[in-house]
Amino acid sequence: MLIDLDTLNELKEIMEDDFDELISVFISDSQTQIKSLQEAINSSNSEDIRRIAHTLKGSSANLGINDLSESCRVLEHKAADNSLEDANELFEKIKTNCETAISALEENFIQ
Amino acid sequence: MKILIVDDDKTNRLVLSAYLKKDGYTVIAAENGLEAIERFQKDEPDLILMDVMMPVMDGYEATQKIKTMTVDKFIPIIFLTAMTDEKALSQCVEVGGDDFLTKPYNRTILKAKIDALERVSQLYNTVFQQKRELISHYEHEAKEQEVARKVFDSILNPGCLSSQNIQLHLSPMSLFNGDVVLAAVKPTGGLHILFGDFTGHGLAASLGALPLSDVFYSMTAKGYSISDIVREINHKLKQQLPTGMFLAACLVEIDSTNMVLKYWNGAIPAAFLHKGDALVELKSNNLPLGILGDSSFSDKVEIIEIHDYDRIVLSTDGILEAENSEGKMFGPERFEACLHYDLEGSSINNSPKDKDVDLFQHILNTLDEFTQEQEQTDDVTLGVITCDSDYINQLAPQKGGYKKFIPTHWQFDLQFFYDSIKAIDPVPLINQIMGEIQGHQIQQDQLSMVLTELFCNSLDHGLLELDSSIKSTPEGFMQFYSDKESRLAELNSGSIYISVNNVPNDVGGDLTIIFEDSGKGFDISKLEESNLAVDEKSPLKFSGRGLSLVKNYCQSVTFNETGNRIECVYSWSNADA
């Protein structure tokens, strides 16, 4: 599963009206972060890569988007170790994970 | 309970805030460390959830700053972090973090951690609150004691404690240990000293000092003996102090004219007379003051012959009970060993005597060495009084403020029968009557000596038929006093008649004083011989019926033919003028 629907349903139940905001904030924020991440990788700015991967890791984990969170965790660590050989490869994976997650969110939670 | 969420990621804030609101908490949020500090100051949250990596100011710095702002209040801070980096975790603890929470957030764990920290926080804040209360109580009490001390200082008569022959170690707060030291010059010359230790501590222990000093100074000024004074103090304290509160006390009279020490000791454990070559303990034979009723109370004083430069060492139990770091007490043995310091021929103290350190300083030094803490001496009250007769004789009795009197013409006659002689010392009474009539225009020191000498003459030789020539040897000296005591007790007849007449003149007045006893009298023709025999260098020069003191101070001294009536004229000039 790319996204954990149980987690999301629990959140929806708890957050009630705020849940819609959470989803839309995640979608727009994650899209912004993917763009920033692309720029950071292009300029080989490992500090920016680490920070963005860290943030995306945390927010995706909260929403139960575990594949995306895991990919971000790997990139965050590589950036921290300054070993960015396969950064592009990882980025593509993150981008795909993110797009898939957004589609799933839109499909399941946006009326 | 108000919780501050600090996270730069909005989804995190939304999720956390939703969880917390669902559990009934009030939630506020900040996007970075700097904003967190601002929100913290403005909204005073009870707990903070803090992300680590944030722009502008990170979680470490913000936590450190907030913790330094909350020294007297516990604000728990939970770090929001991935539990993967040990270095990052230890840094969280270093800056003052209280717990961690990992993403993704688990609602149950979040609630449990907040609950646990809330309990800790309540505990801390209760302790802080109590600490604040304690500090405020302590400060309040210190302030009260300071005020009380000032009040006491202005009320309590300092007497002659600052005399050169009195060395005193007295904590400024000694009053609140219940320790009291009083000293006053007698109108007839000589010193009265009282070393007291009230039971208990604090203000309550010091309250008894007021009636105590009142009685001590007013009775001393009126010429009463220490046995009269100790009886009155006991009476007053018994009456005024609450049950269970009493005064351990040692009263000492240094009679620098006759060179005798009289003392009454009720439960003062460390009282000694240091005679240079011998140590005499001024033993306590009595219960503390304020316990016994008048009928069972004994005002019997002990008498010891003294010489110049003998020293009286007095201390309350603070010195004996001073503890060292091992909890051992200084104790009576160590105290007594201190006194062997400059005792001639003493084998107890082997340490070489330092000429610059006197006995008083030696005792304090030894105590400091023992306790290893300077502060210990705060509880110690120590006095060393040197019997320097020349110095003591020149000390002037205290005078108070009195209304104006003018010298007038008056006379009073008193007659004391044998039973009242046993109970009353007429000298203070006569002084008191004269004081009532003439105020304190008549300087009482000389006159009291004259009256005392006249009364002793009538009593010792007239009624008790004592032979004062035996006083020339130390054994006889003690014998004399012991004979006096037993004969006085056995006395069952006789009386002494006293008449005092004042004729005013320009500068004061002439007092005609008559003492007539019912005794057999003596051969007055022998008087002249014995007067010639007085040796000025003899310390016992006033023994015998020479009455040289009376002769020195009076214009005329005459006996009747039978020698049982003496009449003298004492001229006085207005002491107020």
Side-chain angles (χ1 to χ4, degrees), chain A residues 15-16 21 50 54 59 61-62, chain B residues 9 11-12 18 53 104-105:
Chain A
M15 295 179 76
E16 295 164 13
E21 194 194 353
R50 188 176 78 92
H54 174 83
S59 55
N62 272 333
Chain B
D9 184 68
T11 59
N12 285 334
M53 283 212 286
Y105 306 123

Side-chain angles (χ1 to χ4, degrees), chain B residues 552-569:
Chain B
N552 275 345
Y553 291 139
C554 293
Q555 311 315 112
S556 68
V557 180
T558 49
F559 279 93
N560 65 351
E561 281 178 10
T562 46
N564 66 337
R565 183 179 190 273
I566 183 167
E567 179 175 332
C568 35
V569 177

Side-chain angles (χ1 to χ4, degrees), chain B residues 235-302:
Chain B
H235 174 79
K236 208 152 197 177
L237 294 184
K238 165 90 176 152
Q239 211 176 30
Q240 295 185 346
L241 294 185
T243 318
M245 202 177 149
F246 39 83
L247 174 72
C250 185
L251 268 88
V252 171
E253 178 193 339
I254 301 173
D255 179 344
S256 51
T257 312
N258 297 309
M259 290 309 278
V260 286
L261 170 77
K262 297 178 186 166
Y263 72 93
W264 182 98
N265 189 356
I268 288 289
F272 289 90
L273 174 67
H274 189 297
K275 291 174 77 76
D277 56 354
L279 212 53
V280 182
E281 188 182 352
L282 308 182
K283 280 204 180 99
S284 161
N285 294 321
N286 303 283
L287 287 174
L289 294 165
I291 295 176
L292 293 175
D294 291 342
S295 55
S296 42
F297 181 78
S298 163
D299 56 17
K300 185 174 183 295
V301 298
E302 311 295 328

Side-chain angles (χ1 to χ4, degrees), chain B residues 317-381:
Chain B
D317 54 14
I319 196 165
L320 302 182
E321 288 169 9
E323 284 184 9
N324 67 6
S325 53
E326 290 161 14
K328 273 191 190 142
M329 286 199 199
F330 191 66
E333 292 79 15
R334 281 191 190 82
F335 183 76
E336 212 178 318
C338 276
L339 302 181
H340 285 260
Y341 169 63
D342 57 357
L343 198 63
E344 284 165 36
S346 170
S347 57
I348 291 186
N349 198 318
N350 299 320
S351 60
K353 187 190 155 189
D354 181 349
K355 294 279 179 207
D356 292 335
V357 174
D358 63 10
L359 180 64
F360 175 74
Q361 199 53 52
H362 171 72
I363 298 172
L364 290 179
N365 291 350
T366 311
L367 183 67
D368 270 349
E369 271 168 41
F370 175 77
T371 58
Q372 299 275 309
E373 279 170 53
Q374 279 110 18
E375 284 177 20
Q376 281 273 11
T377 43
D378 275 6
D379 276 340
V380 168
T381 304

Side-chain angles (χ1 to χ4, degrees), chain A residues 10-11 13-16 21-22 25-26 29 33 50-51 54-55 57-59 61-63 76-77, chain B residues 8-15 17-19 21-22 51-55 82 84 103-105 107:
Chain A
E10 196 196 333
L11 274 173
E13 197 189 315
I14 291 165
M15 295 179 76
E16 295 164 13
E21 194 194 353
L22 173 70
V25 165
F26 177 78
D29 276 9
Q33 277 155 353
R50 188 176 78 92
R51 189 176 50 76
H54 174 83
T55 306
K57 176 192 75 177
S59 55
N62 272 333
L63 270 66
E76 184 193 354
H77 276 257
Chain B
D8 57 333
D9 184 68
K10 194 170 180 187
T11 59
N12 285 334
R13 292 200 302 272
L14 281 170
V15 172
S17 145
Y19 284 159
K21 279 180 184 163
K22 194 79 187 169
D51 189 24
V52 179
M53 283 212 286
M54 287 179 292
T84 46
K103 297 168 199 177
Y105 306 123
R107 204 180 145 204

